[in-house]
Amino acid sequence: MKRSLMLLISLCFAASLALSGCGSDNKSAGETGGGSSGTEPKTEEAQKAEPFELTLRHTQVGQDKEKRFAILQDVVKKTEGEIEGLTFKLDGVESDVNRKEKLRGEMAAGNPPDIFDLFGSPDSKVYAKEGKLLDLTPIIEELGIKDKFSSLEPFTYEGKVYGLPIGGSGEGFFYNKEYYDKKGWAPPKTFAELEEQLAAIKADGKVPMAAASKAGWVPLMLTNHLWSRYAGPDITNKFATGEAKWNDPNMVKAFAKHKEWVDKGYFKKGELGFEYAEYTTQFTSGEAILMYDGTWKSSVFKQGESGEGMIGKVGFFNLPPVDGGVGDQTALMRDVNNGYGFSSAVSKDPRKLEAVKAFIKNMFNEEMQIRGLVEDGVLPAMKLDASVLESSITDDLMKQIVDVLNTAQSSFPAFDSLVQADVTTEISNIQIQKLIGNQTTPEKMGEALQKAQEEANSLEE
């Protein structure tokens, strides 16, 4: 998906929804058996002054997400100031736990938070089909922002919008420029050149690539890119339709390449025991020379952040083309799949609905998109003019990231936005760890994933 860049026109936001029928006290003297009850019906102003609460589940937890959390807090504070009586109750939960455990359970029980971190495809479409999500179409039309997003497809079901992306991301290699300069290297242009560099780094007694594979999604970022080189960037779209198979020979080649790099010691030893936070530390300490990660990671290389010692010393490059690979060899992973969703129950409470509209107005605008980019390294999910984007970027690393993204001729979404949850669980929680731990082979991994895929596909027939 190519992200077009257009000038974001200043928005004149519509006035808040008029409140009608907000639970007024209709009990009259006659209803109490005659005589005055001593209780007057509440006026609309009195009702509006009554305190009420919106629960907000976010995933901005941990040191590396402090900037993102600060932006959220500013939006919360502004919204509370605009809506009389409103208080937000913030609930911070780690992203994987929220998506795969808490939110699923809450949706099944019918009691999700009012606002929550929502993964676009396939999650939003599943919950929308079940009637659990608030239809945002009339709100974003009223606010005049429906056409301001790069893409709403991941959050769209049957023509209606059920979530909004907070930012975009891409994936590639962060590299230690200081080390590369000493070696006289430039970012590799071919896959063979990359492998030569990995071998040379290992020979220098350094760790070629950071690794933290306790959570399977971390190593799978690279594996996903490898199979998109060997088997083509479009192959993952075809698993759920049965048009392609996980045990395709080119998929197996990609799994085998990842395993080969593990066997050659190109990743930090003991990676299955390391959490994602340790991934960054391996790189910022200079122990590992390369780190394959999302563009959001650029935020740690700023003043006051955990990687500030690396400011000016970090570069970024795309995975080079594979000789004999399928399809566009410049493609990289880009998506706008992370955002916010809202409980359909909000529609039953006019005051909560008014507050949700104010939250959307304050969160999804040019100012917050620029703040996310500049302060946190999150790529815009809304369309910005190229000149606005260029003038907003002040650090060399982000400029290089944008150049790399713009050089790619196409992109592909992450695999977990295209396949069913059971298949994601099979590869993320079982197969990738078994491959890294030498408990399976690339061939058996492909077969196991295809079996899980066929079972998931059969449930949808």
Side-chain angles (χ1 to χ4, degrees):
M1 295 181 291
K2 279 295 183 183
R3 277 28 173 203
S4 60
L5 296 171
M6 299 175 58
L7 177 62
L8 181 63
I9 303 172
S10 298
L11 301 177
C12 294
F13 293 108
S16 300
L17 285 173
L19 299 181
S20 60
C22 296
S24 59
D25 188 349
N26 293 318
K27 187 181 291 183
S28 66
E31 289 174 312
T32 62
S36 174
S37 66
T39 303
E40 295 296 327
K42 295 180 182 177
T43 64
E44 184 176 355
E45 289 73 18
Q47 295 166 36
K48 289 177 68 173
E50 288 183 354
F52 70 104
E53 183 177 82
L54 273 185
T55 54
L56 194 165
R57 166 76 50 69
H58 67 90
T59 59
Q60 317 314 328
V61 295
Q63 183 177 359
D64 289 347
K65 293 186 178 181
E66 286 180 350
K67 297 287 188 182
R68 211 171 307 177
F69 185 49
I71 293 173
L72 175 62
Q73 287 178 306
D74 286 348
V75 170
V76 163
K77 183 178 180 180
K78 184 175 182 180
T79 306
E80 287 178 337
E82 293 176 354
I83 306 298
E84 190 173 5
L86 171 64
T87 300
F88 279 94
K89 180 181 179 181
L90 300 185
D91 178 24
V93 176
E94 193 274 329
S95 181
D96 238 25
V97 174
N98 172 64
R99 184 189 178 198
K100 297 178 180 179
E101 298 176 25
K102 294 205 72 171
L103 192 56
R104 284 184 187 176
E106 290 161 343
M107 285 294 187
N111 61 348
D114 297 309
I115 304 174
F116 43 85
D117 186 275
L118 177 66
F119 199 75
S121 177
D123 297 18
S124 66
K125 299 179 183 183
V126 171
Y127 297 143
K129 185 177 180 180
E130 296 173 348
K132 303 294 179 62
L133 298 179
L134 178 68
D135 176 11
L136 303 177
T137 313
I139 294 177
I140 59 177
E141 287 177 345
E142 182 179 342
L143 294 176
I145 60 173
K146 184 178 181 181
D147 297 325
K148 301 300 181 183
F149 291 89
S150 299
S151 174
L152 289 173
E153 192 281 330
F155 297 91
T156 301
Y157 175 70
E158 295 186 342
K160 297 180 179 180
V161 179
Y162 291 94
L164 298 173
I166 193 60
S169 65
E171 292 176 2
F173 282 102
F174 290 89
Y175 70 97
N176 187 316
K177 287 174 63 177
E178 203 169 52
Y179 179 88
Y180 265 59
D181 288 344
K182 288 180 180 178
K183 301 289 287 188
W185 292 348
K189 300 297 184 182
T190 67
F191 201 81
E193 188 179 357
L194 171 62
E195 294 200 292
E196 289 172 1
Q197 291 179 355
L198 294 175
I201 295 169
K202 180 73 163 56
D204 278 352
K206 294 283 189 178
V207 174
M209 291 181 281
S213 303
K214 191 169 184 177
W217 70 269
V218 182
L220 280 169
M221 287 189 288
L222 177 56
T223 320
N224 192 170
H225 208 158
L226 283 171
W227 82 59
S228 295
R229 286 283 185 268
Y230 280 94
D234 296 329
I235 193 169
T236 317
N237 292 278
K238 302 174 182 178
F239 293 145
T241 64
E243 299 172 82
K245 296 183 178 181
W246 285 93
N247 55 0
D248 178 284
N250 286 322
M251 290 292 295
V252 174
K253 285 181 183 178
F255 299 151
K257 178 55 66 176
H258 194 144
K259 181 65 164 58
E260 177 188 327
W261 285 355
V262 171
D263 292 343
K264 287 184 174 180
Y266 290 168
F267 297 100
K268 169 75 173 175
K269 187 177 181 181
E271 63 179 283
L272 290 174
F274 297 137
E275 299 279 5
Y276 181 55
E278 297 170 274
Y279 198 52
T280 311
T281 304
Q282 294 166 23
F283 181 73
T284 56
S285 68
E287 181 183 16
I289 303 302
L290 298 170
M291 175 179 65
Y292 187 94
D293 209 341
T295 52
W296 60 82
K297 184 61 70 177
S298 64
S299 65
V300 307
F301 307 115
K302 295 181 180 295
Q303 199 69 40
E305 299 301 316
S306 60
E308 68 174 330
M310 296 286 286
I311 294 175
K313 302 176 183 178
V314 181
F316 184 83
F317 64 83
N318 193 7
L319 181 68
V322 169
D323 188 25
V326 177
D328 176 22
Q329 293 293 297
T330 73
L332 50 69
M333 199 297 294
R334 291 182 68 178
D335 71 15
V336 284
N337 226 14
N338 288 99
Y340 283 103
F342 306 82
S343 170
S344 58
V346 165
S347 64
K348 300 175 183 178
D349 186 331
R351 297 185 74 195
K352 284 190 173 184
L353 191 61
E354 179 190 23
V356 161
K357 183 188 294 188
F359 176 84
I360 291 173
K361 172 177 68 72
N362 293 328
M363 175 63 82
F364 297 94
N365 56 60
E366 182 181 46
E367 177 189 355
M368 290 303 164
Q369 292 286 294
I370 293 297
R371 281 191 62 184
L373 173 66
V374 174
E375 298 176 20
D376 195 40
V378 175
L379 302 175
M382 301 180 79
K383 301 171 186 175
L384 303 179
D385 182 83
S387 61
V388 173
L389 187 61
E390 184 177 356
S391 64
S392 302
I393 301 172
T394 57
D395 65 279
D396 291 338
L397 175 58
M398 183 53 71
K399 288 180 181 178
Q400 187 173 10
I401 287 172
V402 171
D403 286 344
V404 169
L405 297 179
N406 288 339
T407 300
Q409 297 174 24
S410 66
S411 61
F412 56 88
F415 75 92
D416 56 354
S417 69
L418 299 173
V419 299
Q420 299 90 331
D422 288 346
V423 182
T424 295
T425 298
E426 180 68 28
I427 190 171
S428 300
N429 296 355
I430 301 173
Q431 293 302 323
I432 189 63
Q433 285 93 348
K434 289 179 70 174
L435 185 72
I436 292 169
N438 202 31
Q439 295 178 324
T440 191
T441 65
E443 294 78 11
K444 289 181 179 179
M445 178 175 174
E447 292 169 2
L449 289 170
Q450 183 55 30
K451 180 181 178 182
Q453 186 69 65
E454 290 173 358
E455 290 175 353
N457 289 354
S458 69
L459 295 175
E460 297 182 350
E461 293 177 355

